[in-house]
Amino acid sequence: MNFRNFKMIGYVIYGRGAFNQLDEIVQPNRKAGAPMVFLVDHFFEGKPLASRVPAKGNDKIIFVDVSLEPKTTYVDQIANQLKDEFGVVSGIIGIGGGSAMDLAKAVSLMMTNPGSSADYQGWDLVKNPGVYKAGIPTLSGTGAEVSRTTVLTGPTRKLGMNSDFTPFDQIVLDPELTANAPANQRFYTGMDCYIHCIESLTGTYLNEFSKSYGEKALQLCREVYVERDGWDATADDKLMMASYAGGMSIAYSQVGVAHAVSYGLSYLLGTKHGIGNCIVFDHLQDYYPEGVKEFKYMVDKNEITIPKNICANLTEEQFDKMIDVSMGMKPLWENALGRDWEQKMNRGTLRKLYERF
Amino acid sequence: MNFRNFKMIGYVIYGRGAFNQLDEIVQPNRKAGAPMVFLVDHFFEGKPLASRVPAKGNDKIIFVDVSLEPKTTYVDQIANQLKDEFGVVSGIIGIGGGSAMDLAKAVSLMMTNPGSSADYQGWDLVKNPGVYKAGIPTLSGTGAEVSRTTVLTGPTRKLGMNSDFTPFDQIVLDPELTANAPANQRFYTGMDCYIHCIESLTGTYLNEFSKSYGEKALQLCREVYVERDGWDATADDKLMMASYAGGMSIAYSQVGVAHAVSYGLSYLLGTKHGIGNCIVFDHLQDYYPEGVKEFKYMVDKNEITIPKNICANLTEEQFDKMIDVSMGMKPLWENALGRDWEQKMNRGTLRKLYERF
């Protein structure tokens, strides 16, 4: 048995208003003449948070389009633009949800690694440390703030740049930043955390490290979405820690059926990760009976709408493509269903599942 | 409000048998001609673990005497000996309980910082990063594996080298290593974790980050010492995670009355930290009524003996010294009793408390 040696993020600061310390935090990482580059979710363009970004000198704020999940072409475009404009940069600071943070990680790595980010989709392919990078979540649930990957859609696959160089040097966890997120979006992203806790805690890969983080994350999700009525500052506090703990729990665990199936949706239809997981999980009562029951309760209680009929008009070819992508997620299936997962899941079963969405 | 930017350890590996990967883990950190130095708790001299240490070439194993808590003189002696013998070393690997790990952190720092370790007792006084350092706990509970300090007894005070350079670059969490610890010692050290969870969760400094770690650590301690009968591998697994989570919870919290009082005992009498906390906590029903009740239950259930009458024959001067040391722990008192703690605790009350031990 060989255990994974898990690379941790460098620094974490947690607190309501911690964002105000960002200038002071990045200061020691500035290099003469080289700007700090802030990749900010376009949601914040013209909003108060944008004016609080501590950009100075030749620093640059780029509002990034995260309507779709990050593509390798978009990563390359931003990195090449920065190289053309500045040569070198001091660092990349991602401010936003999972997509903005994953973009920041990927662009940081592409400032120091040659070629295209598509060349590094996979495990431990990145050769050089990136430039200084920091992640600042404004939505809680993805765990991107602590993960050693970046989820990117490339020319041939949706796969991260998974490496020891990928985790952030710094994360800033300021629950005030999540206060004004749209309720539906906040729910879908929170459920990303809930669903991956259910998947990892019922999976075959679990050990005590991941179990203790996963249990804590699950408990915090329940406190927020099951036990509390309405939304308040405490809900923001707790969900931010749920996201962090859920991300840490991935160290020695793996997600399962919902993620394997929703990857097919997002590859083909561009369905964003959080909502895609919700669409799929809603139909997984055969695999996660208790989790799905609680999920439906949370959907009702929080008055959320889960999109339906998104696969209504797909062609045979499109179904096949989704099934190909999903069946390719071997570790996820193995974690969920055991080593003999191919006895339990086949293309026909998967097809019937996709038809329900 | 200013929040602490918490430096994390570099890498964590968790798993039963993970110790077998130590050779492979330290390999990339070896520098030509410079040895890895393993500081191993003298408890393991002649025991099987000692022969599993992957020492090779000019590597050196030093069995360290941790009968007493680490002194600055001992740190200096080891560091100077290594400088005389090798000039530079590749790294320092601490294998043992909190004392062995704290020694390793301090020796690593003293390989690259001039003067005596006593010069660096305090906050952020360390100037240079130490050499590569790794911590491998063989007892669970202290949280030393993740802390940014080292507890050292110096010529004038008991205080750590608290800095961003202090946390380990690597920790190896292998619950198999704690299987054969003496039951009393294992209990005292486990209670170090339990007690600091009670102190931090009831304290005034708490935030959601520290709360979520503290609650998880407390729950794991209860699973081990309250809910389970007897000791087994699962107890080792859980207590190792309790120690890690308890250590992480310190990021934004602080210990309280038990630690403030037991520092006096250990300064004067050399009482080791775990047992000292137990001796004190046993008499703190006025401050932590529920925690002390549960503590007494765990003591009985696990058939542990808490030493008594250790202050029976002390002089006035000795009592005064302990009270001086304890009253000096201002942040601990403030966390426990609030900003007006001096209204609630005075030398007379403290004297009566010490007389009970």
Side-chain angles (χ1 to χ4, degrees), chain A residues 47-66:
Chain A
K47 295 220 169 71
L49 183 65
S51 61
R52 294 173 61 204
V53 172
K56 52 188 172 187
N58 61 346
D59 285 358
K60 192 177 180 91
I61 298 179
I62 302 175
F63 291 100
V64 288
D65 183 352
V66 290

Side-chain angles (χ1 to χ4, degrees), chain A residues 224-271:
Chain A
V224 169
Y225 288 114
V226 178
E227 294 165 21
R228 298 180 77 80
D229 293 312
W231 199 269
D232 62 6
T234 304
D236 284 316
D237 290 355
K238 286 182 187 289
L239 195 59
M240 188 158 272
M241 281 311 298
S243 178
Y244 169 92
M248 288 296 297
S249 82
I250 290 298
Y252 293 101
S253 71
Q254 183 51 277
V255 288
V257 180
H259 279 77
V261 176
S262 83
Y263 270 118
L265 290 181
S266 60
Y267 189 85
L268 186 77
L269 305 173
T271 314

Side-chain angles (χ1 to χ4, degrees), chain A residues 2-3 5-6 8-14 16 21 164 170 208 212-213 215-216 241 244 252, chain B residues 2-3 5-6 8-14 16 21 164 170 207-208 212-213 215-216 241 244 252:
Chain A
N2 221 41
F3 300 100
N5 194 16
F6 187 68
M8 308 277 273
I9 46 173
Y11 281 84
V12 56
I13 181 168
Y14 178 97
R16 304 190 72 79
Q21 289 171 242
D164 278 2
Q170 171 80 56
E208 189 60 42
S212 61
Y213 273 114
E215 286 176 344
K216 188 70 213 178
M241 281 311 298
Y244 169 92
Y252 293 101
Chain B
N2 221 41
F3 300 99
N5 194 15
F6 187 68
M8 307 277 273
I9 46 171
Y11 282 85
V12 57
I13 180 168
Y14 178 97
R16 305 190 71 79
Q21 289 171 241
D164 279 2
Q170 170 81 55
N207 72 1
E208 189 59 42
S212 62
Y213 272 115
E215 286 176 345
K216 189 69 212 179
M241 280 312 297
Y244 169 93
Y252 293 100

